[in-house]
mmCIF file of all heavy atoms in Angstrom:
data_model
loop_
_atom_site.group_PDB
_atom_site.id
_atom_site.type_symbol
_atom_site.label_atom_id
_atom_site.label_comp_id
_atom_site.label_asym_id
_atom_site.label_seq_id
_atom_site.Cartn_x
_atom_site.Cartn_y
_atom_site.Cartn_z
ATOM 1 N N LEU A 447 12.299 5.859 -8.956
ATOM 2 C CA LEU A 447 12.794 5.477 -7.643
ATOM 3 C C LEU A 447 11.972 6.263 -6.635
ATOM 4 O O LEU A 447 12.006 7.495 -6.609
ATOM 5 C CB LEU A 447 14.278 5.816 -7.496
ATOM 6 C CG LEU A 447 14.925 5.347 -6.191
ATOM 7 C CD1 LEU A 447 15.069 3.823 -6.179
ATOM 8 C CD2 LEU A 447 16.288 6.006 -5.990
ATOM 9 N N LEU A 448 11.200 5.557 -5.831
ATOM 10 C CA LEU A 448 10.180 6.181 -4.987
ATOM 11 C C LEU A 448 10.606 6.251 -3.532
ATOM 12 O O LEU A 448 11.239 5.325 -3.009
ATOM 13 C CB LEU A 448 8.867 5.389 -5.079
ATOM 14 C CG LEU A 448 8.240 5.300 -6.460
ATOM 15 C CD1 LEU A 448 7.108 4.278 -6.464
ATOM 16 C CD2 LEU A 448 7.733 6.668 -6.918
ATOM 17 N N ILE A 449 10.229 7.337 -2.896
ATOM 18 C CA ILE A 449 10.352 7.469 -1.453
ATOM 19 C C ILE A 449 8.937 7.323 -0.888
ATOM 20 O O ILE A 449 8.053 8.125 -1.193
ATOM 21 C CB ILE A 449 10.949 8.829 -1.053
ATOM 22 C CG1 ILE A 449 12.286 9.033 -1.783
ATOM 23 C CG2 ILE A 449 11.137 8.902 0.458
ATOM 24 C CD1 ILE A 449 13.293 7.946 -1.569
ATOM 25 N N ASN A 450 8.731 6.306 -0.091
ATOM 26 C CA ASN A 450 7.407 5.984 0.435
ATOM 27 C C ASN A 450 7.359 6.297 1.926
ATOM 28 O O ASN A 450 8.066 5.690 2.721
ATOM 29 C CB ASN A 450 7.103 4.509 0.187
ATOM 30 C CG ASN A 450 5.807 4.048 0.838
ATOM 31 O OD1 ASN A 450 5.035 4.856 1.360
ATOM 32 N ND2 ASN A 450 5.568 2.754 0.824
ATOM 33 N N ARG A 451 6.524 7.257 2.269
ATOM 34 C CA ARG A 451 6.260 7.570 3.678
ATOM 35 C C ARG A 451 4.775 7.334 3.933
ATOM 36 O O ARG A 451 3.961 8.238 3.851
ATOM 37 C CB ARG A 451 6.646 9.015 3.992
ATOM 38 C CG ARG A 451 8.138 9.316 3.857
ATOM 39 C CD ARG A 451 8.448 10.770 4.190
ATOM 40 N NE ARG A 451 9.880 11.052 4.160
ATOM 41 C CZ ARG A 451 10.548 11.420 3.070
ATOM 42 N NH1 ARG A 451 9.904 11.545 1.922
ATOM 43 N NH2 ARG A 451 11.841 11.653 3.117
ATOM 44 N N GLY A 452 4.429 6.077 4.162
ATOM 45 C CA GLY A 452 3.027 5.730 4.349
ATOM 46 C C GLY A 452 2.269 5.824 3.043
ATOM 47 O O GLY A 452 2.573 5.118 2.082
ATOM 48 N N GLU A 453 1.288 6.721 2.969
ATOM 49 C CA GLU A 453 0.520 6.917 1.739
ATOM 50 C C GLU A 453 1.126 7.987 0.838
ATOM 51 O O GLU A 453 0.606 8.264 -0.242
ATOM 52 C CB GLU A 453 -0.932 7.306 2.091
ATOM 53 C CG GLU A 453 -1.688 6.239 2.859
ATOM 54 C CD GLU A 453 -1.811 4.942 2.066
ATOM 55 O OE1 GLU A 453 -2.106 5.014 0.860
ATOM 56 O OE2 GLU A 453 -1.595 3.864 2.658
ATOM 57 N N ASP A 454 2.212 8.582 1.288
ATOM 58 C CA ASP A 454 2.846 9.673 0.546
ATOM 59 C C ASP A 454 4.005 9.124 -0.279
ATOM 60 O O ASP A 454 4.937 8.527 0.268
ATOM 61 C CB ASP A 454 3.343 10.735 1.525
ATOM 62 C CG ASP A 454 4.039 11.887 0.807
ATOM 63 O OD1 ASP A 454 3.577 12.237 -0.287
ATOM 64 O OD2 ASP A 454 5.027 12.410 1.345
ATOM 65 N N TYR A 455 3.941 9.323 -1.606
ATOM 66 C CA TYR A 455 5.005 8.876 -2.506
ATOM 67 C C TYR A 455 5.622 10.074 -3.207
ATOM 68 O O TYR A 455 4.913 10.974 -3.667
ATOM 69 C CB TYR A 455 4.458 7.910 -3.561
ATOM 70 C CG TYR A 455 4.071 6.560 -3.019
ATOM 71 C CD1 TYR A 455 2.791 6.338 -2.528
ATOM 72 C CD2 TYR A 455 4.983 5.497 -3.002
ATOM 73 C CE1 TYR A 455 2.424 5.097 -2.028
ATOM 74 C CE2 TYR A 455 4.620 4.253 -2.512
ATOM 75 C CZ TYR A 455 3.345 4.066 -2.027
ATOM 76 O OH TYR A 455 2.982 2.837 -1.535
ATOM 77 N N GLN A 456 6.939 10.067 -3.301
ATOM 78 C CA GLN A 456 7.671 11.115 -4.004
ATOM 79 C C GLN A 456 8.744 10.462 -4.864
ATOM 80 O O GLN A 456 9.198 9.347 -4.581
ATOM 81 C CB GLN A 456 8.299 12.092 -3.004
ATOM 82 C CG GLN A 456 7.281 12.812 -2.129
ATOM 83 C CD GLN A 456 7.940 13.645 -1.048
ATOM 84 O OE1 GLN A 456 8.974 13.272 -0.492
ATOM 85 N NE2 GLN A 456 7.357 14.792 -0.751
ATOM 86 N N ILE A 457 9.163 11.151 -5.911
ATOM 87 C CA ILE A 457 10.154 10.606 -6.836
ATOM 88 C C ILE A 457 11.535 11.161 -6.500
ATOM 89 O O ILE A 457 11.769 12.363 -6.567
ATOM 90 C CB ILE A 457 9.789 10.943 -8.285
ATOM 91 C CG1 ILE A 457 8.453 10.307 -8.656
ATOM 92 C CG2 ILE A 457 10.887 10.464 -9.239
ATOM 93 C CD1 ILE A 457 7.973 10.672 -10.047
ATOM 94 N N ALA A 458 12.440 10.262 -6.142
ATOM 95 C CA ALA A 458 13.811 10.670 -5.832
ATOM 96 C C ALA A 458 14.709 10.603 -7.057
ATOM 97 O O ALA A 458 15.731 11.282 -7.111
ATOM 98 C CB ALA A 458 14.385 9.784 -4.733
ATOM 99 N N GLY A 459 14.331 9.775 -8.043
ATOM 100 C CA GLY A 459 15.168 9.628 -9.223
ATOM 101 C C GLY A 459 14.539 8.695 -10.229
ATOM 102 O O GLY A 459 13.395 8.266 -10.075
ATOM 103 N N VAL A 460 15.302 8.371 -11.266
ATOM 104 C CA VAL A 460 14.824 7.470 -12.316
ATOM 105 C C VAL A 460 15.835 6.343 -12.494
ATOM 106 O O VAL A 460 17.041 6.569 -12.642
ATOM 107 C CB VAL A 460 14.583 8.225 -13.643
ATOM 108 C CG1 VAL A 460 15.835 8.945 -14.126
ATOM 109 C CG2 VAL A 460 14.059 7.282 -14.718
ATOM 110 N N PHE A 461 15.336 5.108 -12.466
ATOM 111 C CA PHE A 461 16.180 3.922 -12.568
ATOM 112 C C PHE A 461 16.712 3.767 -13.985
ATOM 113 O O PHE A 461 15.959 3.840 -14.951
ATOM 114 C CB PHE A 461 15.374 2.677 -12.175
ATOM 115 C CG PHE A 461 16.083 1.382 -12.458
ATOM 116 C CD1 PHE A 461 17.144 0.965 -11.670
ATOM 117 C CD2 PHE A 461 15.684 0.583 -13.517
ATOM 118 C CE1 PHE A 461 17.797 -0.224 -11.942
ATOM 119 C CE2 PHE A 461 16.325 -0.606 -13.792
ATOM 120 C CZ PHE A 461 17.387 -1.016 -13.002
ATOM 121 N N VAL A 462 18.042 3.535 -14.104
ATOM 122 C CA VAL A 462 18.652 3.440 -15.432
ATOM 123 C C VAL A 462 19.437 2.157 -15.663
ATOM 124 O O VAL A 462 19.759 1.830 -16.804
ATOM 125 C CB VAL A 462 19.561 4.651 -15.714
ATOM 126 C CG1 VAL A 462 18.748 5.939 -15.736
ATOM 127 C CG2 VAL A 462 20.712 4.759 -14.714
ATOM 128 N N GLY A 463 19.783 1.401 -14.635
ATOM 129 C CA GLY A 463 20.532 0.181 -14.879
ATOM 130 C C GLY A 463 21.064 -0.458 -13.612
ATOM 131 O O GLY A 463 20.877 0.041 -12.504
ATOM 132 N N THR A 464 21.728 -1.585 -13.796
ATOM 133 C CA THR A 464 22.373 -2.282 -12.686
ATOM 134 C C THR A 464 23.829 -2.531 -13.043
ATOM 135 O O THR A 464 24.216 -2.492 -14.211
ATOM 136 C CB THR A 464 21.687 -3.636 -12.388
ATOM 137 O OG1 THR A 464 21.782 -4.475 -13.546
ATOM 138 C CG2 THR A 464 20.232 -3.442 -12.034
ATOM 139 N N PHE A 465 24.634 -2.785 -12.039
ATOM 140 C CA PHE A 465 26.010 -3.166 -12.302
ATOM 141 C C PHE A 465 26.470 -4.178 -11.271
ATOM 142 O O PHE A 465 25.861 -4.345 -10.217
ATOM 143 C CB PHE A 465 26.945 -1.942 -12.351
ATOM 144 C CG PHE A 465 27.079 -1.221 -11.039
ATOM 145 C CD1 PHE A 465 27.963 -1.653 -10.066
ATOM 146 C CD2 PHE A 465 26.326 -0.084 -10.796
ATOM 147 C CE1 PHE A 465 28.086 -0.973 -8.863
ATOM 148 C CE2 PHE A 465 26.453 0.611 -9.603
ATOM 149 C CZ PHE A 465 27.325 0.161 -8.632
ATOM 150 N N VAL A 466 27.569 -4.841 -11.596
ATOM 151 C CA VAL A 466 28.088 -5.920 -10.769
ATOM 152 C C VAL A 466 29.452 -5.531 -10.216
ATOM 153 O O VAL A 466 30.313 -5.060 -10.959
ATOM 154 C CB VAL A 466 28.227 -7.217 -11.585
ATOM 155 C CG1 VAL A 466 28.636 -8.382 -10.691
ATOM 156 C CG2 VAL A 466 26.947 -7.529 -12.329
ATOM 157 N N THR A 467 29.636 -5.713 -8.927
ATOM 158 C CA THR A 467 30.950 -5.544 -8.315
ATOM 159 C C THR A 467 31.240 -6.792 -7.487
ATOM 160 O O THR A 467 30.401 -7.685 -7.371
ATOM 161 C CB THR A 467 31.002 -4.307 -7.393
ATOM 162 O OG1 THR A 467 30.310 -4.600 -6.183
ATOM 163 C CG2 THR A 467 30.394 -3.085 -8.068
ATOM 164 N N GLN A 468 32.410 -6.839 -6.907
ATOM 165 C CA GLN A 468 32.743 -7.961 -6.036
ATOM 166 C C GLN A 468 31.852 -7.980 -4.800
ATOM 167 O O GLN A 468 31.711 -9.005 -4.141
ATOM 168 C CB GLN A 468 34.218 -7.877 -5.628
ATOM 169 C CG GLN A 468 35.169 -8.090 -6.792
ATOM 170 C CD GLN A 468 36.622 -7.893 -6.402
ATOM 171 O OE1 GLN A 468 36.918 -7.219 -5.423
ATOM 172 N NE2 GLN A 468 37.519 -8.470 -7.173
ATOM 173 N N SER A 469 31.233 -6.826 -4.497
ATOM 174 C CA SER A 469 30.364 -6.737 -3.327
ATOM 175 C C SER A 469 28.928 -7.161 -3.627
ATOM 176 O O SER A 469 28.124 -7.322 -2.721
ATOM 177 C CB SER A 469 30.348 -5.298 -2.789
ATOM 178 O OG SER A 469 31.646 -4.885 -2.455
ATOM 179 N N GLY A 470 28.578 -7.296 -4.909
ATOM 180 C CA GLY A 470 27.225 -7.700 -5.246
ATOM 181 C C GLY A 470 26.684 -6.960 -6.451
ATOM 182 O O GLY A 470 27.426 -6.331 -7.206
ATOM 183 N N VAL A 471 25.361 -7.059 -6.633
ATOM 184 C CA VAL A 471 24.668 -6.415 -7.749
ATOM 185 C C VAL A 471 23.954 -5.175 -7.228
ATOM 186 O O VAL A 471 23.198 -5.260 -6.263
ATOM 187 C CB VAL A 471 23.641 -7.372 -8.390
ATOM 188 C CG1 VAL A 471 22.968 -6.717 -9.593
ATOM 189 C CG2 VAL A 471 24.309 -8.674 -8.795
ATOM 190 N N PHE A 472 24.183 -4.041 -7.858
ATOM 191 C CA PHE A 472 23.592 -2.797 -7.399
ATOM 192 C C PHE A 472 22.812 -2.120 -8.518
ATOM 193 O O PHE A 472 23.133 -2.264 -9.695
ATOM 194 C CB PHE A 472 24.673 -1.856 -6.866
ATOM 195 C CG PHE A 472 25.444 -2.435 -5.722
ATOM 196 C CD1 PHE A 472 26.746 -2.850 -5.891
ATOM 197 C CD2 PHE A 472 24.850 -2.590 -4.473
ATOM 198 C CE1 PHE A 472 27.457 -3.410 -4.837
ATOM 199 C CE2 PHE A 472 25.547 -3.144 -3.420
ATOM 200 C CZ PHE A 472 26.854 -3.556 -3.591
ATOM 201 N N SER A 473 21.787 -1.381 -8.134
ATOM 202 C CA SER A 473 20.975 -0.640 -9.092
ATOM 203 C C SER A 473 21.368 0.832 -9.057
ATOM 204 O O SER A 473 21.779 1.359 -8.020
ATOM 205 C CB SER A 473 19.486 -0.805 -8.765
ATOM 206 O OG SER A 473 19.214 -0.451 -7.420
ATOM 207 N N LEU A 474 21.203 1.482 -10.211
ATOM 208 C CA LEU A 474 21.577 2.890 -10.367
ATOM 209 C C LEU A 474 20.362 3.700 -10.768
ATOM 210 O O LEU A 474 19.621 3.318 -11.678
ATOM 211 C CB LEU A 474 22.634 3.043 -11.468
ATOM 212 C CG LEU A 474 24.076 2.699 -11.125
ATOM 213 C CD1 LEU A 474 24.876 2.550 -12.410
ATOM 214 C CD2 LEU A 474 24.692 3.782 -10.265
ATOM 215 N N SER A 475 20.169 4.834 -10.112
ATOM 216 C CA SER A 475 19.089 5.751 -10.463
ATOM 217 C C SER A 475 19.647 7.170 -10.512
ATOM 218 O O SER A 475 20.377 7.591 -9.618
ATOM 219 C CB SER A 475 17.956 5.691 -9.430
ATOM 220 O OG SER A 475 17.404 4.386 -9.352
ATOM 221 N N VAL A 476 19.300 7.902 -11.559
ATOM 222 C CA VAL A 476 19.720 9.298 -11.679
ATOM 223 C C VAL A 476 18.905 10.142 -10.707
ATOM 224 O O VAL A 476 17.677 10.058 -10.677
ATOM 225 C CB VAL A 476 19.521 9.812 -13.115
ATOM 226 C CG1 VAL A 476 20.004 11.265 -13.233
ATOM 227 C CG2 VAL A 476 20.251 8.930 -14.121
ATOM 228 N N ARG A 477 19.579 10.946 -9.915
ATOM 229 C CA ARG A 477 18.894 11.791 -8.936
ATOM 230 C C ARG A 477 18.047 12.854 -9.625
ATOM 231 O O ARG A 477 18.415 13.376 -10.678
ATOM 232 C CB ARG A 477 19.916 12.464 -8.020
ATOM 233 C CG ARG A 477 20.693 11.490 -7.168
ATOM 234 C CD ARG A 477 21.754 12.190 -6.366
ATOM 235 N NE ARG A 477 21.178 13.083 -5.365
ATOM 236 C CZ ARG A 477 21.750 13.372 -4.202
ATOM 237 N NH1 ARG A 477 22.910 12.828 -3.900
ATOM 238 N NH2 ARG A 477 21.183 14.199 -3.367
ATOM 239 N N ASN A 478 16.923 13.201 -9.022
ATOM 240 C CA ASN A 478 16.010 14.147 -9.667
ATOM 241 C C ASN A 478 16.618 15.543 -9.846
ATOM 242 O O ASN A 478 16.206 16.289 -10.737
ATOM 243 C CB ASN A 478 14.675 14.226 -8.922
ATOM 244 C CG ASN A 478 14.810 14.666 -7.481
ATOM 245 O OD1 ASN A 478 15.687 15.452 -7.125
ATOM 246 N ND2 ASN A 478 13.928 14.170 -6.628
ATOM 247 N N SER A 479 17.600 15.895 -9.037
ATOM 248 C CA SER A 479 18.229 17.213 -9.174
ATOM 249 C C SER A 479 18.951 17.360 -10.508
ATOM 250 O O SER A 479 19.151 18.478 -10.996
ATOM 251 C CB SER A 479 19.219 17.449 -8.029
ATOM 252 O OG SER A 479 20.211 16.430 -8.006
ATOM 253 N N VAL A 480 19.321 16.228 -11.128
ATOM 254 C CA VAL A 480 20.053 16.268 -12.394
ATOM 255 C C VAL A 480 19.168 16.776 -13.531
ATOM 256 O O VAL A 480 19.626 17.514 -14.400
ATOM 257 C CB VAL A 480 20.617 14.869 -12.726
ATOM 258 C CG1 VAL A 480 21.224 14.837 -14.126
ATOM 259 C CG2 VAL A 480 21.649 14.449 -11.690
ATOM 260 N N PHE A 481 17.889 16.388 -13.532
ATOM 261 C CA PHE A 481 17.005 16.770 -14.639
ATOM 262 C C PHE A 481 15.919 17.760 -14.211
ATOM 263 O O PHE A 481 15.021 18.081 -14.985
ATOM 264 C CB PHE A 481 16.344 15.527 -15.260
ATOM 265 C CG PHE A 481 15.688 14.597 -14.271
ATOM 266 C CD1 PHE A 481 14.403 14.832 -13.811
ATOM 267 C CD2 PHE A 481 16.363 13.480 -13.815
ATOM 268 C CE1 PHE A 481 13.800 13.979 -12.904
ATOM 269 C CE2 PHE A 481 15.772 12.613 -12.907
ATOM 270 C CZ PHE A 481 14.481 12.870 -12.457
ATOM 271 N N GLU A 482 16.019 18.287 -13.005
ATOM 272 C CA GLU A 482 14.997 19.203 -12.491
ATOM 273 C C GLU A 482 14.907 20.479 -13.333
ATOM 274 O O GLU A 482 13.818 20.972 -13.643
ATOM 275 C CB GLU A 482 15.300 19.537 -11.036
ATOM 276 C CG GLU A 482 14.135 20.135 -10.283
ATOM 277 C CD GLU A 482 14.382 20.157 -8.788
ATOM 278 O OE1 GLU A 482 15.550 20.000 -8.366
ATOM 279 O OE2 GLU A 482 13.408 20.337 -8.045
ATOM 280 N N LYS A 483 16.042 21.034 -13.739
ATOM 281 C CA LYS A 483 16.045 22.248 -14.556
ATOM 282 C C LYS A 483 15.411 21.983 -15.918
ATOM 283 O O LYS A 483 14.642 22.799 -16.437
ATOM 284 C CB LYS A 483 17.476 22.771 -14.713
ATOM 285 C CG LYS A 483 17.571 24.062 -15.499
ATOM 286 C CD LYS A 483 19.016 24.555 -15.575
ATOM 287 C CE LYS A 483 19.110 25.847 -16.383
ATOM 288 N NZ LYS A 483 20.536 26.328 -16.452
ATOM 289 N N ALA A 484 15.731 20.829 -16.507
ATOM 290 C CA ALA A 484 15.155 20.477 -17.806
ATOM 291 C C ALA A 484 13.652 20.305 -17.697
ATOM 292 O O ALA A 484 12.904 20.676 -18.609
ATOM 293 C CB ALA A 484 15.796 19.201 -18.336
ATOM 294 N N LEU A 485 13.182 19.749 -16.587
ATOM 295 C CA LEU A 485 11.741 19.600 -16.379
ATOM 296 C C LEU A 485 11.066 20.963 -16.309
ATOM 297 O O LEU A 485 10.010 21.174 -16.925
ATOM 298 C CB LEU A 485 11.468 18.808 -15.098
ATOM 299 C CG LEU A 485 10.004 18.709 -14.677
ATOM 300 C CD1 LEU A 485 9.169 18.022 -15.748
ATOM 301 C CD2 LEU A 485 9.881 17.976 -13.337
ATOM 302 N N LYS A 486 11.663 21.893 -15.594
ATOM 303 C CA LYS A 486 11.090 23.242 -15.508
ATOM 304 C C LYS A 486 11.012 23.878 -16.895
ATOM 305 O O LYS A 486 10.018 24.513 -17.255
ATOM 306 C CB LYS A 486 11.922 24.124 -14.578
ATOM 307 C CG LYS A 486 11.348 25.513 -14.349
ATOM 308 C CD LYS A 486 12.209 26.330 -13.407
ATOM 309 C CE LYS A 486 11.553 27.674 -13.079
ATOM 310 N NZ LYS A 486 11.297 28.484 -14.294
ATOM 311 N N GLY A 487 12.063 23.666 -17.702
ATOM 312 C CA GLY A 487 12.053 24.191 -19.061
ATOM 313 C C GLY A 487 10.952 23.586 -19.908
ATOM 314 O O GLY A 487 10.283 24.286 -20.670
ATOM 315 N N ALA A 488 10.742 22.272 -19.762
ATOM 316 C CA ALA A 488 9.682 21.600 -20.519
ATOM 317 C C ALA A 488 8.320 22.097 -20.101
ATOM 318 O O ALA A 488 7.419 22.288 -20.919
ATOM 319 C CB ALA A 488 9.793 20.090 -20.338
ATOM 320 N N LEU A 489 8.141 22.313 -18.791
ATOM 321 C CA LEU A 489 6.861 22.815 -18.290
ATOM 322 C C LEU A 489 6.623 24.254 -18.746
ATOM 323 O O LEU A 489 5.504 24.622 -19.127
ATOM 324 C CB LEU A 489 6.817 22.720 -16.773
ATOM 325 C CG LEU A 489 6.845 21.297 -16.188
ATOM 326 C CD1 LEU A 489 6.924 21.349 -14.667
ATOM 327 C CD2 LEU A 489 5.637 20.502 -16.626
#
Side-chain angles (χ1 to χ4, degrees):
L447 185 71
L448 299 169
I449 305 304
N450 174 8
R451 295 180 176 88
E453 297 299 316
D454 179 37
Y455 289 88
Q456 299 173 324
I457 298 176
V460 57
F461 171 74
V462 297
T464 61
F465 65 83
V466 186
T467 75
Q468 293 175 338
S469 302
V471 183
F472 300 108
S473 54
L474 281 165
S475 300
V476 182
R477 296 176 66 150
N478 60 32
S479 58
V480 172
F481 50 83
E482 197 167 16
K483 182 178 179 180
L485 174 60
K486 184 179 185 301
L489 295 175

